[in-house]
Amino acid sequence: MSSIQLFVEGVTDQKFLQDVIAEWYGIDLSIGSIGKPGEIISVDGKDAFDSPEKMKKLSPIFQQLAIQGIPTVVIFDADTFSTNQAKLTLHSQKLRFAYFLFPDNQRDGEIETLLEEIICPDNQIVFDCWKAFEDCLSGHKTSSTPSGSFTTPANKTKIYAYIETLVGETDSEKEKIKDRNRDYRNKLHWNLDPAHPSLKPLREFLDPFFSTK
């Protein structure tokens, strides 16, 4: 049995945290899902604590972890920080877990917000060009959508595009774009320096669970 159990929304979070923890602490955690063993468990979406069906599965797991004295951590997207902070505070009191909300446990956002802030500085041009693309879209109207405006692609799409600009064109290289195959320890793509201002809150949150292990 692991000395810690992390619960996250999905594969992006799993791979990012697996790489971060390996980079910072030299600890390799396994990836799993509800019903499948692992130390970083995907609950398959942000509605885990709102879904009676999922809670039927999750509550016994949290209770057993508490009985065994295994530290339990939930790391979700903040989205609207004040709303999800209140929700997780309530659930954490009942299920006895610590929690962190991406990007920094203080503001609205998501894991993609954090990822955009920790790209390798040499690649900033990718997001500068993306900003120009978004500005261009917002400045035009269309009869093709109900709103009469183009929809700005989601931040998740932006991160996919960022990685796609950095990998090769073969099928095997394109596989590296997928969430489960990303290498956040690649210094040509990402800056995982724990002193990075955007990463300090996460490092300070994780330290008590890993720094002495």
Side-chain angles (χ1 to χ4, degrees):
M1 175 63 71
S2 168
S3 59
I4 190 169
Q5 191 79 64
L6 286 80
F7 294 86
V8 300
E9 290 183 26
V11 178
T12 302
D13 315 83
Q14 286 181 305
K15 189 60 170 66
F16 175 69
L17 288 168
Q18 185 184 51
D19 284 356
V20 163
I21 290 166
E23 178 73 14
W24 291 351
Y25 307 106
I27 297 172
D28 295 317
L29 297 185
S30 60
I31 285 176
S33 59
I34 300 175
K36 179 182 177 182
E39 293 155 312
I40 309 177
I41 298 293
S42 167
V43 298
D44 193 24
K46 63 185 68 178
D47 68 337
F49 295 110
D50 298 320
S51 166
E53 181 179 349
K54 286 186 179 179
M55 286 306 295
K56 285 182 181 178
K57 299 177 181 178
L58 284 173
S59 291
I61 296 174
F62 280 101
Q63 292 167 3
Q64 186 61 32
L65 290 168
I67 291 171
Q68 293 175 302
I70 295 173
T72 307
V73 173
V74 171
I75 301 181
F76 280 6
D77 287 341
D79 296 322
T80 302
F81 179 77
S82 59
T83 299
N84 281 321
Q85 181 192 40
K87 181 186 300 184
L88 284 185
T89 296
L90 179 62
H91 287 296
S92 68
Q93 292 169 350
K94 295 179 180 178
L95 298 175
R96 298 170 61 183
F97 61 78
Y99 69 84
F100 183 93
L101 295 173
F102 286 128
D104 58 11
N105 218 28
Q106 301 177 64
R107 58 189 163 119
D108 296 354
E110 56 202 0
I111 187 171
E112 286 79 16
T113 308
L114 175 60
L115 293 179
E116 183 173 350
E117 294 173 353
I118 63 167
I119 64 167
C120 174
D122 290 345
N123 303 326
Q124 181 59 44
I125 185 62
V126 177
F127 286 117
D128 292 343
C129 290
W130 186 273
K131 178 64 164 57
F133 162 66
E134 290 181 334
D135 290 344
C136 183
L137 282 182
S138 66
H140 291 78
K141 300 297 181 181
T142 178
S143 59
S144 300
T145 65
S147 67
S149 300
F150 290 101
T151 300
T152 301
N155 286 338
K156 186 179 290 290
T157 304
K158 185 191 301 188
I159 299 300
Y160 271 83
Y162 169 71
I163 301 172
E164 188 167 16
T165 66
L166 302 175
V167 301
E169 298 181 358
T170 65
D171 289 344
S172 62
E173 286 293 308
K174 293 295 185 184
E175 283 291 311
K176 297 177 182 179
I177 301 169
K178 296 179 180 179
D179 302 78
R180 66 178 179 274
N181 298 330
R182 294 178 186 174
D183 180 7
Y184 294 103
R185 302 179 75 180
N186 184 339
K187 292 178 171 57
L188 297 178
H189 297 179
W190 310 98
N191 178 5
L192 291 189
D193 183 347
H196 190 296
S198 295
L199 288 171
K200 284 183 69 176
L202 180 62
R203 178 64 187 250
E204 291 171 357
F205 174 80
L206 292 175
D207 268 352
F209 299 103
F210 295 104
S211 59
T212 60
K213 292 182 172 57

